[in-house]
Amino acid sequence: MIRVKKLLKENPVTDLPRIGKVVDRAPKPIPDQERARLLAAMRKYDRQLWIVCQLEYYCAIRPGECRLLRVGDVDLDNAVIRVPADVAKNRQAETVAMPVQLVNVFRKESLCEADRGYYLFSASGLPGEKMLGKNSFRNRFNALRDKLHLPPEYKLYSFKYTGGVKLVNAGIDTWELQRHMRHKSIDTTEHYIRKNFAVKSDTIKNHFPDIE
């Protein structure tokens, strides 16, 4: 069989679209000073949002999950929050440990004294029967952030990342972090650590040879 070579007179790939610049829009951890400003403003003007941010920070519970939680999902005696399968992002029921700071906030705010079937966060600003709108928390956070003239890279979801950063800096091991963040695999957790942290090395930090 004789194969005949054909010569293309025109470039067949000239109309392919260019790949644009990759932009990282992931939430950024919020530094201490700016986080303190945000929390102080929330505590004064939007106490419900203040509690949501603490749920993210201390329990890595996502804003969309917070919106769907009910009073009965919180067990202060055992210091855990049970995230039902129909609430969890990955559709698997999970239990999250509550640090003592968050338990104290829930007790002080009397959040678990309402009907167990009530939504933890409702339109009344208290636990109630009416679920909040899907973008309620995000819109309220963005408005407050902009009012304080803070960067748009700080998002409501940033409080979850900030809590993870603080845990890693406090020395938590990867397995514990995976369980707490509810990552599906250890690979996800390791990717999270690589993305958000430099190499932890006392030599690099404190004993790097002088440049001169």
Side-chain angles (χ1 to χ4, degrees), residues 7-186:
L7 181 65
L8 293 175
K9 295 182 179 181
E10 296 181 0
N11 186 347
V13 296
T14 54
D15 293 329
L16 288 178
R18 289 186 176 183
I19 297 176
K21 181 181 178 181
V22 176
V23 179
D24 184 3
R25 292 190 174 88
K28 308 294 184 188
I30 306 175
D32 293 352
Q33 187 173 358
E34 292 172 327
R35 191 172 69 256
R37 288 180 61 201
L38 274 167
L39 289 169
M42 282 187 273
R43 191 168 187 171
K44 183 176 181 179
Y45 298 111
D46 194 336
R47 208 165 182 88
Q48 189 180 66
L49 186 61
W50 174 69
I51 295 169
V52 168
C53 288
Q54 292 192 67
L55 269 169
E56 282 193 70
Y57 178 86
Y58 285 120
C59 293
I61 295 179
R62 304 168 181 90
E65 296 171 334
C66 290
R67 187 176 70 92
L68 300 173
L69 285 177
R70 297 180 186 267
V71 172
D73 296 325
V74 182
D75 181 352
L76 294 183
D77 291 335
N78 293 299
V80 296
I81 296 176
R82 297 181 178 90
V83 184
D86 61 341
V87 170
K89 181 181 179 181
N90 61 12
R91 296 306 178 205
Q92 294 181 2
E94 296 168 304
T95 301
V96 184
M98 295 178 72
V100 65
Q101 299 97 315
L102 187 61
V103 171
N104 290 339
V105 168
F106 269 64
R107 291 193 187 280
K108 186 174 182 179
E109 300 294 319
S110 303
L111 290 173
C112 293
E113 295 180 9
D115 188 294
R116 290 177 56 81
Y118 279 3
Y119 288 103
L120 196 57
F121 305 103
S122 77
S124 67
L126 300 169
E129 297 179 86
K130 187 175 180 181
M131 181 195 304
L132 284 167
K134 185 176 181 180
N135 296 317
S136 175
F137 292 142
R138 184 183 68 186
N139 292 340
R140 287 151 60 184
F141 175 84
N142 288 351
L144 190 60
R145 176 203 63 204
D146 295 345
K147 184 178 180 180
L148 296 174
H149 305 292
L150 293 173
E153 289 81 9
Y154 299 160
K155 306 178 190 299
L156 178 59
Y157 214 92
S158 292
F159 277 86
K160 178 175 181 285
Y161 282 88
T162 306
V165 166
K166 291 292 186 180
L167 283 175
V168 171
N169 287 336
I172 192 172
D173 68 43
T174 305
W175 184 83
E176 286 181 305
L177 185 65
Q178 179 200 352
R179 291 288 306 275
H180 184 72
M181 301 293 280
R182 291 182 291 139
H183 292 155
K184 287 185 178 180
S185 72
I186 201 70

